[in-house]
Amino acid sequence: SRRQRQMCIRDRLYREQDDLYNEYASHFGLSGISFWILYTLCEAEEEAFTQNMLADMWHIPRQSLNSAVRTLVTRGYIKLEQMAVSGNSKALRLTEEGEAFCKRAIYPFYELEERILQNMTKQERKQFLEFSVRQLDMMKKEIEAVIKEDAARK
Protein backbone atom coordinates (compact mmCIF):
# COMPACT_ATOMS: atom_id res chain seq x y z
CA SER A 1 0.00 0.00 0.00
CA ARG A 2 1.01 3.62 -0.38
CA ARG A 3 1.15 4.14 3.39
CA GLN A 4 3.48 1.15 3.82
CA ARG A 5 5.75 2.46 1.07
CA GLN A 6 5.90 5.87 2.76
CA MET A 7 6.74 4.30 6.13
CA CYS A 8 9.42 2.16 4.51
CA ILE A 9 10.97 5.21 2.82
CA ARG A 10 10.92 7.16 6.10
CA ASP A 11 12.49 4.30 8.04
CA ARG A 12 15.16 3.88 5.36
CA LEU A 13 15.95 7.61 5.50
CA TYR A 14 16.39 7.49 9.31
CA ARG A 15 18.67 4.46 9.03
CA GLU A 16 20.68 6.00 6.22
CA GLN A 17 21.16 9.21 8.20
CA ASP A 18 22.28 7.19 11.22
CA ASP A 19 24.71 5.30 8.95
CA LEU A 20 26.13 8.63 7.76
CA TYR A 21 26.75 9.78 11.35
CA ASN A 22 28.46 6.46 12.08
CA GLU A 23 30.53 6.64 8.88
CA TYR A 24 31.75 10.10 9.85
CA ALA A 25 32.56 9.01 13.42
CA SER A 26 34.29 5.85 12.21
CA HIS A 27 36.51 7.83 9.82
CA PHE A 28 37.90 9.63 12.88
CA GLY A 29 38.26 6.40 14.87
CA LEU A 30 35.21 7.03 17.04
CA SER A 31 32.19 4.99 17.95
CA GLY A 32 28.86 6.71 17.41
CA ILE A 33 28.51 7.26 21.16
CA SER A 34 32.03 8.70 21.48
CA PHE A 35 31.21 11.07 18.63
CA TRP A 36 28.10 12.40 20.42
CA ILE A 37 30.04 12.84 23.67
CA LEU A 38 32.70 14.93 21.93
CA TYR A 39 30.03 16.71 19.87
CA THR A 40 28.51 17.94 23.14
CA LEU A 41 31.74 18.72 24.98
CA CYS A 42 33.35 20.60 22.08
CA GLU A 43 30.72 23.32 22.21
CA ALA A 44 30.09 23.15 25.96
CA GLU A 45 32.61 25.92 26.79
CA GLU A 46 32.28 26.25 30.57
CA GLU A 47 29.08 24.20 30.90
CA ALA A 48 29.66 21.02 32.90
CA PHE A 49 28.23 17.69 31.77
CA THR A 50 28.21 14.48 33.78
CA GLN A 51 27.91 11.03 32.27
CA ASN A 52 24.32 10.78 33.48
CA MET A 53 23.44 14.11 31.86
CA LEU A 54 24.86 12.96 28.51
CA ALA A 55 23.11 9.59 28.74
CA ASP A 56 19.79 11.37 29.27
CA MET A 57 20.45 14.03 26.62
CA TRP A 58 21.34 11.57 23.85
CA HIS A 59 19.13 8.66 25.02
CA ILE A 60 22.12 6.36 25.39
CA PRO A 61 22.21 3.47 27.87
CA ARG A 62 24.44 4.47 30.81
CA GLN A 63 26.63 1.38 30.51
CA SER A 64 27.34 2.13 26.82
CA LEU A 65 28.05 5.77 27.55
CA ASN A 66 30.36 4.90 30.47
CA SER A 67 32.29 2.51 28.22
CA ALA A 68 32.71 5.23 25.57
CA VAL A 69 33.87 7.68 28.26
CA ARG A 70 36.52 5.19 29.45
CA THR A 71 37.76 4.86 25.85
CA LEU A 72 37.94 8.65 25.41
CA VAL A 73 39.81 9.01 28.72
CA THR A 74 42.27 6.29 27.66
CA ARG A 75 42.87 8.09 24.36
CA GLY A 76 43.59 11.27 26.27
CA TYR A 77 40.70 13.28 24.77
CA ILE A 78 38.73 13.84 27.97
CA LYS A 79 39.28 13.86 31.71
CA LEU A 80 36.92 13.54 34.67
CA GLU A 81 36.89 16.43 37.13
CA GLN A 82 35.26 16.52 40.55
CA MET A 83 32.31 18.89 40.54
CA ALA A 84 32.22 21.37 43.40
CA VAL A 85 28.47 21.10 43.92
CA SER A 86 27.94 17.37 44.17
CA GLY A 87 29.72 14.70 46.11
CA ASN A 88 30.54 11.97 43.63
CA SER A 89 29.51 13.42 40.26
CA LYS A 90 32.35 14.15 37.90
CA ALA A 91 32.25 16.58 35.00
CA LEU A 92 33.63 15.48 31.65
CA ARG A 93 36.19 17.95 30.33
CA LEU A 94 38.23 18.05 27.16
CA THR A 95 41.99 17.79 27.50
CA GLU A 96 44.30 19.85 25.27
CA GLU A 97 44.59 16.80 23.03
CA GLY A 98 40.80 16.51 23.01
CA GLU A 99 40.44 20.14 21.99
CA ALA A 100 42.90 19.61 19.14
CA PHE A 101 40.97 16.52 18.05
CA CYS A 102 37.70 18.50 18.12
CA LYS A 103 39.23 21.11 15.80
CA ARG A 104 40.06 18.31 13.35
CA ALA A 105 36.93 16.13 13.66
CA ILE A 106 34.02 17.85 15.40
CA TYR A 107 34.18 21.49 14.33
CA PRO A 108 34.06 20.53 10.63
CA PHE A 109 30.89 18.57 11.45
CA TYR A 110 29.31 21.65 13.05
CA GLU A 111 30.21 23.55 9.89
CA LEU A 112 28.68 20.96 7.56
CA GLU A 113 25.49 20.99 9.63
CA GLU A 114 25.40 24.77 9.36
CA ARG A 115 25.90 24.59 5.57
CA ILE A 116 23.02 22.12 5.30
CA LEU A 117 20.71 24.47 7.20
CA GLN A 118 21.90 27.48 5.19
CA ASN A 119 21.01 25.63 1.99
CA MET A 120 17.42 25.46 3.20
CA THR A 121 15.13 28.45 3.17
CA LYS A 122 14.06 29.89 6.50
CA GLN A 123 10.61 28.38 5.89
CA GLU A 124 12.09 24.93 5.09
CA ARG A 125 14.18 25.00 8.30
CA LYS A 126 11.12 25.97 10.34
CA GLN A 127 8.95 23.28 8.71
CA PHE A 128 11.67 20.63 9.04
CA LEU A 129 11.96 21.21 12.78
CA GLU A 130 8.20 21.49 13.31
CA PHE A 131 7.52 18.27 11.38
CA SER A 132 10.33 16.44 13.17
CA VAL A 133 9.06 17.48 16.62
CA ARG A 134 5.47 16.65 15.68
CA GLN A 135 6.41 13.22 14.31
CA LEU A 136 8.46 12.39 17.42
CA ASP A 137 5.66 13.51 19.77
CA MET A 138 3.12 11.37 17.90
CA MET A 139 5.52 8.40 17.91
CA LYS A 140 5.98 8.66 21.70
CA LYS A 141 2.22 8.77 22.31
CA GLU A 142 1.48 5.87 19.95
CA ILE A 143 4.23 3.65 21.36
CA GLU A 144 3.17 4.40 24.94
CA ALA A 145 -0.44 3.51 24.05
CA VAL A 146 0.51 0.20 22.40
CA ILE A 147 2.79 -0.77 25.31
CA LYS A 148 0.12 0.14 27.85
CA GLU A 149 -2.52 -1.84 25.94
CA ASP A 150 -0.23 -4.85 25.61
CA ALA A 151 0.70 -4.73 29.30
CA ALA A 152 -3.01 -4.69 30.22
CA ARG A 153 -3.49 -7.96 28.29
CA LYS A 154 -0.87 -9.86 30.33
Side-chain angles (χ1 to χ4, degrees):
S1 76
R2 181 177 170 186
R3 185 195 61 75
Q4 286 174 317
R5 280 194 306 277
Q6 287 175 334
M7 299 302 282
C8 187
I9 290 168
R10 189 212 58 201
D11 291 345
R12 228 179 18 248
L13 288 171
Y14 286 146
R15 283 176 182 47
E16 187 174 346
Q17 183 170 329
D18 199 43
D19 285 348
L20 288 169
Y21 285 121
N22 287 325
E23 179 183 339
Y24 187 91
S26 178
H27 172 80
F28 290 99
L30 299 171
S31 68
I33 294 172
S34 293
F35 171 81
W36 292 114
I37 292 169
L38 291 176
Y39 181 95
T40 305
L41 296 180
C42 286
E43 68 177 358
E45 295 177 15
E46 291 306 307
E47 189 174 357
F49 288 96
T50 65
Q51 293 181 56
N52 285 342
M53 290 165 75
L54 290 176
D56 291 343
M57 178 187 300
W58 292 110
H59 301 275
I60 297 169
R62 278 168 173 63
Q63 188 174 353
S64 301
L65 189 121
N66 294 347
S67 175
V69 165
R70 279 194 302 277
T71 299
L72 291 170
V73 168
T74 301
R75 289 188 185 171
Y77 294 158
I78 64 173
K79 59 188 173 185
L80 301 174
E81 284 184 357
Q82 191 66 43
M83 291 176 72
V85 274
S86 63
N88 63 355
S89 286
K90 290 185 170 60
L92 304 178
R93 299 273 186 217
L94 291 171
T95 61
E96 278 186 38
E97 191 176 344
E99 287 178 23
F101 183 77
C102 282
K103 285 187 176 90
R104 180 179 153 234
I106 306 300
Y107 293 131
F109 194 85
Y110 297 152
E111 291 165 7
L112 77 82
E113 287 182 314
E114 186 62 32
R115 285 192 303 274
I116 290 166
L117 288 175
Q118 292 307 317
N119 283 320
M120 293 180 184
T121 66
K122 187 175 179 180
Q123 181 65 19
E124 286 172 332
R125 286 192 300 269
K126 184 174 184 275
Q127 286 177 329
F128 173 72
L129 291 174
E130 286 173 353
F131 291 148
S132 296
V133 168
R134 186 164 181 251
Q135 189 270 339
L136 183 62
D137 286 344
M138 289 189 290
M139 177 74 86
K140 283 180 192 173
K141 287 177 186 152
E142 290 295 329
I143 285 177
E144 286 170 8
V146 169
I147 289 172
K148 187 176 179 180
E149 186 179 312
D150 182 67
R153 284 193 206 117
K154 289 183 180 178

PDB file of all heavy atoms in Angstrom, residues 58-79:
ATOM      1  N   TRP A  58      21.237  12.271  25.126  1.00  0.00           N
ATOM      2  CA  TRP A  58      21.345  11.567  23.847  1.00  0.00           C
ATOM      3  C   TRP A  58      20.593  10.231  23.845  1.00  0.00           C
ATOM      4  O   TRP A  58      20.687   9.482  22.883  1.00  0.00           O
ATOM      5  CB  TRP A  58      22.825  11.355  23.491  1.00  0.00           C
ATOM      6  CG  TRP A  58      23.513  12.644  23.171  1.00  0.00           C
ATOM      7  CD1 TRP A  58      24.460  13.275  23.923  1.00  0.00           C
ATOM      8  CD2 TRP A  58      23.288  13.496  22.043  1.00  0.00           C
ATOM      9  NE1 TRP A  58      24.841  14.448  23.325  1.00  0.00           N
ATOM     10  CE2 TRP A  58      24.141  14.608  22.164  1.00  0.00           C
ATOM     11  CE3 TRP A  58      22.449  13.413  20.929  1.00  0.00           C
ATOM     12  CZ2 TRP A  58      24.176  15.633  21.226  1.00  0.00           C
ATOM     13  CZ3 TRP A  58      22.490  14.441  19.993  1.00  0.00           C
ATOM     14  CH2 TRP A  58      23.338  15.531  20.148  1.00  0.00           C
ATOM     15  N   HIS A  59      19.893   9.916  24.935  1.00  0.00           N
ATOM     16  CA  HIS A  59      19.132   8.662  25.024  1.00  0.00           C
ATOM     17  C   HIS A  59      20.035   7.454  24.761  1.00  0.00           C
ATOM     18  O   HIS A  59      19.739   6.605  23.916  1.00  0.00           O
ATOM     19  CB  HIS A  59      17.922   8.677  24.071  1.00  0.00           C
ATOM     20  CG  HIS A  59      16.989   9.803  24.363  1.00  0.00           C
ATOM     21  ND1 HIS A  59      16.005   9.714  25.315  1.00  0.00           N
ATOM     22  CD2 HIS A  59      16.922  11.064  23.874  1.00  0.00           C
ATOM     23  CE1 HIS A  59      15.369  10.866  25.384  1.00  0.00           C
ATOM     24  NE2 HIS A  59      15.907  11.700  24.525  1.00  0.00           N
ATOM     25  N   ILE A  60      21.138   7.433  25.515  1.00  0.00           N
ATOM     26  CA  ILE A  60      22.125   6.365  25.392  1.00  0.00           C
ATOM     27  C   ILE A  60      22.118   5.580  26.698  1.00  0.00           C
ATOM     28  O   ILE A  60      22.142   6.177  27.779  1.00  0.00           O
ATOM     29  CB  ILE A  60      23.542   6.957  25.148  1.00  0.00           C
ATOM     30  CG1 ILE A  60      23.580   7.712  23.820  1.00  0.00           C
ATOM     31  CG2 ILE A  60      24.606   5.869  25.182  1.00  0.00           C
ATOM     32  CD1 ILE A  60      24.844   8.548  23.631  1.00  0.00           C
ATOM     33  N   PRO A  61      22.122   4.248  26.624  1.00  0.00           N
ATOM     34  CA  PRO A  61      22.212   3.470  27.873  1.00  0.00           C
ATOM     35  C   PRO A  61      23.476   3.868  28.655  1.00  0.00           C
ATOM     36  O   PRO A  61      24.546   4.060  28.080  1.00  0.00           O
ATOM     37  CB  PRO A  61      22.312   2.020  27.391  1.00  0.00           C
ATOM     38  CG  PRO A  61      21.736   2.034  26.007  1.00  0.00           C
ATOM     39  CD  PRO A  61      22.046   3.389  25.441  1.00  0.00           C
ATOM     40  N   ARG A  62      23.328   4.003  29.976  1.00  0.00           N
ATOM     41  CA  ARG A  62      24.443   4.469  30.809  1.00  0.00           C
ATOM     42  C   ARG A  62      25.683   3.587  30.676  1.00  0.00           C
ATOM     43  O   ARG A  62      26.810   4.092  30.628  1.00  0.00           O
ATOM     44  CB  ARG A  62      24.006   4.564  32.270  1.00  0.00           C
ATOM     45  CG  ARG A  62      23.259   5.861  32.540  1.00  0.00           C
ATOM     46  CD  ARG A  62      22.549   5.884  33.872  1.00  0.00           C
ATOM     47  NE  ARG A  62      21.982   7.180  34.179  1.00  0.00           N
ATOM     48  CZ  ARG A  62      21.033   7.803  33.497  1.00  0.00           C
ATOM     49  NH1 ARG A  62      20.535   7.267  32.407  1.00  0.00           N
ATOM     50  NH2 ARG A  62      20.564   8.981  33.876  1.00  0.00           N
ATOM     51  N   GLN A  63      25.486   2.284  30.610  1.00  0.00           N
ATOM     52  CA  GLN A  63      26.634   1.376  30.505  1.00  0.00           C
ATOM     53  C   GLN A  63      27.405   1.630  29.205  1.00  0.00           C
ATOM     54  O   GLN A  63      28.634   1.662  29.198  1.00  0.00           O
ATOM     55  CB  GLN A  63      26.153  -0.071  30.575  1.00  0.00           C
ATOM     56  CG  GLN A  63      27.273  -1.078  30.662  1.00  0.00           C
ATOM     57  CD  GLN A  63      26.766  -2.492  30.887  1.00  0.00           C
ATOM     58  OE1 GLN A  63      25.581  -2.718  31.108  1.00  0.00           O
ATOM     59  NE2 GLN A  63      27.665  -3.449  30.825  1.00  0.00           N
ATOM     60  N   SER A  64      26.688   1.851  28.105  1.00  0.00           N
ATOM     61  CA  SER A  64      27.337   2.129  26.818  1.00  0.00           C
ATOM     62  C   SER A  64      28.066   3.462  26.859  1.00  0.00           C
ATOM     63  O   SER A  64      29.188   3.597  26.356  1.00  0.00           O
ATOM     64  CB  SER A  64      26.297   2.145  25.692  1.00  0.00           C
ATOM     65  OG  SER A  64      25.628   0.914  25.614  1.00  0.00           O
ATOM     66  N   LEU A  65      27.422   4.466  27.464  1.00  0.00           N
ATOM     67  CA  LEU A  65      28.052   5.774  27.555  1.00  0.00           C
ATOM     68  C   LEU A  65      29.298   5.703  28.440  1.00  0.00           C
ATOM     69  O   LEU A  65      30.351   6.246  28.077  1.00  0.00           O
ATOM     70  CB  LEU A  65      27.075   6.818  28.105  1.00  0.00           C
ATOM     71  CG  LEU A  65      27.669   8.220  27.981  1.00  0.00           C
ATOM     72  CD1 LEU A  65      26.778   9.099  27.136  1.00  0.00           C
ATOM     73  CD2 LEU A  65      27.932   8.821  29.316  1.00  0.00           C
ATOM     74  N   ASN A  66      29.210   5.012  29.569  1.00  0.00           N
ATOM     75  CA  ASN A  66      30.356   4.900  30.475  1.00  0.00           C
ATOM     76  C   ASN A  66      31.528   4.211  29.783  1.00  0.00           C
ATOM     77  O   ASN A  66      32.683   4.607  29.959  1.00  0.00           O
ATOM     78  CB  ASN A  66      29.965   4.140  31.748  1.00  0.00           C
ATOM     79  CG  ASN A  66      28.951   4.895  32.585  1.00  0.00           C
ATOM     80  OD1 ASN A  66      28.694   6.082  32.367  1.00  0.00           O
ATOM     81  ND2 ASN A  66      28.354   4.209  33.534  1.00  0.00           N
ATOM     82  N   SER A  67      31.237   3.208  28.974  1.00  0.00           N
ATOM     83  CA  SER A  67      32.286   2.510  28.224  1.00  0.00           C
ATOM     84  C   SER A  67      32.961   3.454  27.226  1.00  0.00           C
ATOM     85  O   SER A  67      34.191   3.473  27.105  1.00  0.00           O
ATOM     86  CB  SER A  67      31.665   1.310  27.507  1.00  0.00           C
ATOM     87  OG  SER A  67      32.616   0.691  26.690  1.00  0.00           O
ATOM     88  N   ALA A  68      32.160   4.264  26.532  1.00  0.00           N
ATOM     89  CA  ALA A  68      32.714   5.228  25.574  1.00  0.00           C
ATOM     90  C   ALA A  68      33.552   6.277  26.297  1.00  0.00           C
ATOM     91  O   ALA A  68      34.617   6.672  25.811  1.00  0.00           O
ATOM     92  CB  ALA A  68      31.594   5.880  24.774  1.00  0.00           C
ATOM     93  N   VAL A  69      33.107   6.712  27.473  1.00  0.00           N
ATOM     94  CA  VAL A  69      33.867   7.682  28.257  1.00  0.00           C
ATOM     95  C   VAL A  69      35.229   7.084  28.632  1.00  0.00           C
ATOM     96  O   VAL A  69      36.265   7.750  28.500  1.00  0.00           O
ATOM     97  CB  VAL A  69      33.087   8.136  29.515  1.00  0.00           C
ATOM     98  CG1 VAL A  69      34.012   8.840  30.517  1.00  0.00           C
ATOM     99  CG2 VAL A  69      31.933   9.039  29.115  1.00  0.00           C
ATOM    100  N   ARG A  70      35.240   5.834  29.085  1.00  0.00           N
ATOM    101  CA  ARG A  70      36.518   5.193  29.447  1.00  0.00           C
ATOM    102  C   ARG A  70      37.473   5.184  28.245  1.00  0.00           C
ATOM    103  O   ARG A  70      38.665   5.461  28.387  1.00  0.00           O
ATOM    104  CB  ARG A  70      36.273   3.759  29.940  1.00  0.00           C
ATOM    105  CG  ARG A  70      35.841   3.688  31.388  1.00  0.00           C
ATOM    106  CD  ARG A  70      35.933   2.277  31.960  1.00  0.00           C
ATOM    107  NE  ARG A  70      35.149   1.289  31.224  1.00  0.00           N
ATOM    108  CZ  ARG A  70      33.839   1.075  31.402  1.00  0.00           C
ATOM    109  NH1 ARG A  70      33.169   1.785  32.300  1.00  0.00           N
ATOM    110  NH2 ARG A  70      33.211   0.168  30.705  1.00  0.00           N
ATOM    111  N   THR A  71      36.935   4.883  27.063  1.00  0.00           N
ATOM    112  CA  THR A  71      37.763   4.863  25.853  1.00  0.00           C
ATOM    113  C   THR A  71      38.324   6.257  25.562  1.00  0.00           C
ATOM    114  O   THR A  71      39.506   6.408  25.238  1.00  0.00           O
ATOM    115  CB  THR A  71      36.939   4.359  24.647  1.00  0.00           C
ATOM    116  OG1 THR A  71      36.497   3.028  24.925  1.00  0.00           O
ATOM    117  CG2 THR A  71      37.758   4.368  23.369  1.00  0.00           C
ATOM    118  N   LEU A  72      37.489   7.278  25.673  1.00  0.00           N
ATOM    119  CA  LEU A  72      37.940   8.645  25.406  1.00  0.00           C
ATOM    120  C   LEU A  72      38.970   9.119  26.433  1.00  0.00           C
ATOM    121  O   LEU A  72      39.900   9.865  26.091  1.00  0.00           O
ATOM    122  CB  LEU A  72      36.744   9.604  25.350  1.00  0.00           C
ATOM    123  CG  LEU A  72      35.810   9.415  24.150  1.00  0.00           C
ATOM    124  CD1 LEU A  72      34.538  10.238  24.322  1.00  0.00           C
ATOM    125  CD2 LEU A  72      36.516   9.758  22.843  1.00  0.00           C
ATOM    126  N   VAL A  73      38.822   8.686  27.684  1.00  0.00           N
ATOM    127  CA  VAL A  73      39.810   9.012  28.719  1.00  0.00           C
ATOM    128  C   VAL A  73      41.134   8.321  28.383  1.00  0.00           C
ATOM    129  O   VAL A  73      42.203   8.942  28.424  1.00  0.00           O
ATOM    130  CB  VAL A  73      39.302   8.605  30.129  1.00  0.00           C
ATOM    131  CG1 VAL A  73      40.430   8.658  31.162  1.00  0.00           C
ATOM    132  CG2 VAL A  73      38.144   9.501  30.563  1.00  0.00           C
ATOM    133  N   THR A  74      41.064   7.049  28.011  1.00  0.00           N
ATOM    134  CA  THR A  74      42.267   6.288  27.656  1.00  0.00           C
ATOM    135  C   THR A  74      43.000   6.922  26.484  1.00  0.00           C
ATOM    136  O   THR A  74      44.235   6.983  26.470  1.00  0.00           O
ATOM    137  CB  THR A  74      41.889   4.820  27.312  1.00  0.00           C
ATOM    138  OG1 THR A  74      41.248   4.239  28.448  1.00  0.00           O
ATOM    139  CG2 THR A  74      43.111   4.007  26.935  1.00  0.00           C
ATOM    140  N   ARG A  75      42.254   7.435  25.519  1.00  0.00           N
ATOM    141  CA  ARG A  75      42.872   8.092  24.360  1.00  0.00           C
ATOM    142  C   ARG A  75      43.408   9.481  24.680  1.00  0.00           C
ATOM    143  O   ARG A  75      44.057  10.103  23.850  1.00  0.00           O
ATOM    144  CB  ARG A  75      41.866   8.203  23.222  1.00  0.00           C
ATOM    145  CG  ARG A  75      41.555   6.877  22.580  1.00  0.00           C
ATOM    146  CD  ARG A  75      40.723   7.073  21.351  1.00  0.00           C
ATOM    147  NE  ARG A  75      40.327   5.802  20.796  1.00  0.00           N
ATOM    148  CZ  ARG A  75      39.458   5.672  19.822  1.00  0.00           C
ATOM    149  NH1 ARG A  75      38.887   6.736  19.286  1.00  0.00           N
ATOM    150  NH2 ARG A  75      39.142   4.477  19.366  1.00  0.00           N
ATOM    151  N   GLY A  76      43.075   9.970  25.855  1.00  0.00           N
ATOM    152  CA  GLY A  76      43.586  11.275  26.272  1.00  0.00           C
ATOM    153  C   GLY A  76      42.765  12.455  25.779  1.00  0.00           C
ATOM    154  O   GLY A  76      43.206  13.592  25.852  1.00  0.00           O
ATOM    155  N   TYR A  77      41.539  12.199  25.301  1.00  0.00           N
ATOM    156  CA  TYR A  77      40.697  13.280  24.771  1.00  0.00           C
ATOM    157  C   TYR A  77      39.875  13.979  25.848  1.00  0.00           C
ATOM    158  O   TYR A  77      39.549  15.150  25.721  1.00  0.00           O
ATOM    159  CB  TYR A  77      39.741  12.761  23.700  1.00  0.00           C
ATOM    160  CG  TYR A  77      40.407  12.271  22.434  1.00  0.00           C
ATOM    161  CD1 TYR A  77      39.759  11.391  21.598  1.00  0.00           C
ATOM    162  CD2 TYR A  77      41.684  12.697  22.060  1.00  0.00           C
ATOM    163  CE1 TYR A  77      40.353  10.935  20.417  1.00  0.00           C
ATOM    164  CE2 TYR A  77      42.285  12.249  20.902  1.00  0.00           C
ATOM    165  CZ  TYR A  77      41.609  11.363  20.085  1.00  0.00           C
ATOM    166  OH  TYR A  77      42.207  10.916  18.926  1.00  0.00           O
ATOM    167  N   ILE A  78      39.510  13.232  26.887  1.00  0.00           N
ATOM    168  CA  ILE A  78      38.726  13.841  27.967  1.00  0.00           C
ATOM    169  C   ILE A  78      39.284  13.414  29.310  1.00  0.00           C
ATOM    170  O   ILE A  78      40.023  12.430  29.419  1.00  0.00           O
ATOM    171  CB  ILE A  78      37.212  13.504  27.883  1.00  0.00           C
ATOM    172  CG1 ILE A  78      36.953  12.011  28.060  1.00  0.00           C
ATOM    173  CG2 ILE A  78      36.586  14.027  26.612  1.00  0.00           C
ATOM    174  CD1 ILE A  78      35.475  11.644  28.157  1.00  0.00           C
ATOM    175  N   LYS A  79      38.921  14.190  30.336  1.00  0.00           N
ATOM    176  CA  LYS A  79      39.280  13.857  31.713  1.00  0.00           C
ATOM    177  C   LYS A  79      38.033  14.056  32.567  1.00  0.00           C
ATOM    178  O   LYS A  79      37.098  14.754  32.174  1.00  0.00           O
ATOM    179  CB  LYS A  79      40.424  14.732  32.199  1.00  0.00           C
ATOM    180  CG  LYS A  79      40.130  16.221  32.160  1.00  0.00           C
ATOM    181  CD  LYS A  79      41.352  17.062  32.455  1.00  0.00           C
ATOM    182  CE  LYS A  79      41.007  18.527  32.215  1.00  0.00           C
ATOM    183  NZ  LYS A  79      42.148  19.393  32.369  1.00  0.00           N
TER     184      LYS A  79
END
